[in-house]
Amino acid sequence: MVSNAVVETIFETKPTPVRGVIFDMDGLLLDSETLAMDALVSAGEDLGYDMPSVFCRRMIGLPADDCRRLVQGDYGAAFPLERFFALQEIHLRNFVDTGRLALKAGVVPLLDLLDRLGLPRAIATSSSRYRTDHHLKLVGLDHRFDATVTRDDVSRGKPSPEPYLTAARKIGVAPEFCLALEDSHNGARAAHAAGIPVIVVPDLLEATDEIRGKALAVVDDLDIVRAYIEKAAGMYGAE
């Protein structure tokens, strides 16, 4: 049961119409961040390096180039960077293709609501085009979005606002009338920088005071987001 008090609190602070929704993918739509962290740890082990999960979590929400800089900064110039990320991709594909990839709770009811309201929606993700298309197809979401913006579609990834501004343009909705849904810190920073109200649904990373200050709200699950959009539609109309 969704608490009406939570939804009312969001409206009391910063009410806004919702005319389009932009989703992050990993950790928000897909329960994939744990798989990605396990794949990083396994890749490190393959190469004889201890890659603790606390270090791997620092890569959540970062573009690929930033992940490479982070690893090299901590493990040195001699670290086999390209081999490491190639092995990580192999492990992740194996985890995904053997049935470990799942949807986060509340995804399908939220998308069904957007269908009923006729609201356009997009994905803005730091994942590659190949990974995005492959994962969405596996979980049956490949036809449920009007646009997908991946790291291959922009010159600068999150926390730059470019992914979110590109997604808003693709669905034809002004940023201030979009709603962004994120789990990561850099994703929330990107949406905020784009001028898009953002609701954060934490996955592996807890929201910090900084992120709470940038977010419309920090909530426990997508059911609360669905209730918020339903109320927004009732107050402002879906158009």
Side-chain angles (χ1 to χ4, degrees):
M1 176 70 68
V2 176
S3 170
N4 288 330
V6 175
V7 178
E8 292 294 341
T9 298
I10 301 173
F11 270 92
E12 286 173 5
T13 54
K14 297 175 183 177
T16 181
V18 178
R19 296 175 183 161
V21 182
I22 305 176
F23 294 77
D24 178 47
M25 185 177 73
D26 295 299
L28 190 284
L29 288 170
L30 308 182
D31 195 6
S32 53
E33 292 289 22
T34 299
L35 302 185
M37 297 302 101
D38 289 349
L40 288 167
V41 172
S42 296
E45 290 174 349
D46 290 346
L47 296 170
Y49 288 85
D50 178 25
M51 190 73 64
S53 59
V54 66
F55 171 77
C56 295
R57 288 189 182 198
R58 292 168 59 192
M59 289 183 255
I60 293 175
L62 288 179
D65 289 345
D66 287 350
C67 290
R68 283 171 164 75
R69 281 190 287 270
L70 179 63
V71 173
Q72 202 148 52
D74 275 49
Y75 287 84
F79 184 83
L81 202 60
E82 296 308 318
R83 180 61 178 156
F84 169 70
F85 281 107
L87 286 168
Q88 188 256 353
E89 188 68 25
I90 291 170
H91 282 293
L92 181 58
R93 288 184 190 179
N94 180 61
F95 295 157
V96 167
D97 291 341
T98 53
R100 290 181 58 183
L101 183 64
L103 289 175
K104 297 286 281 187
V107 169
V108 172
L110 176 53
L111 292 175
D112 288 346
L113 171 66
L114 300 186
D115 287 344
R116 292 197 300 273
L117 296 175
L119 291 176
R121 78 298 305 255
I123 288 173
T125 177
S126 296
S127 286
S128 67
R129 170 60 59 185
Y130 172 83
R131 185 186 291 182
T132 300
D133 291 347
H134 181 56
H135 288 190
L136 292 176
K137 185 173 183 179
L138 277 178
V139 297
L141 295 184
D142 49 321
H143 298 301
R144 302 214 62 177
F145 294 88
D146 301 294
T148 55
V149 177
T150 75
R151 74 179 186 213
D152 299 322
D153 303 313
V154 295
S155 58
R156 297 182 62 195
K158 302 173 186 178
S160 164
E162 185 182 353
Y164 272 102
L165 292 174
T166 302
R169 185 171 65 251
K170 283 181 176 289
I171 61 173
V173 179
E176 63 268 26
F177 296 124
C178 290
L179 176 68
L181 304 178
E182 272 287 352
D183 70 292
S184 77
H185 298 173
N186 271 344
R189 292 179 184 120
H192 183 265
I196 298 175
V198 56
I199 294 179
V200 176
V201 188
D203 182 36
L204 298 184
L205 296 177
E206 293 185 9
T208 62
D209 288 343
E210 176 216 349
I211 297 306
R212 289 181 181 277
K214 294 182 185 302
L216 184 67
V218 177
V219 303
D220 291 335
D221 55 53
L222 291 175
D223 288 336
I224 296 174
V225 175
R226 177 164 49 88
Y228 172 78
I229 293 174
E230 282 185 306
K231 188 170 180 65
M235 289 179 67
Y236 300 108
E239 295 183 354

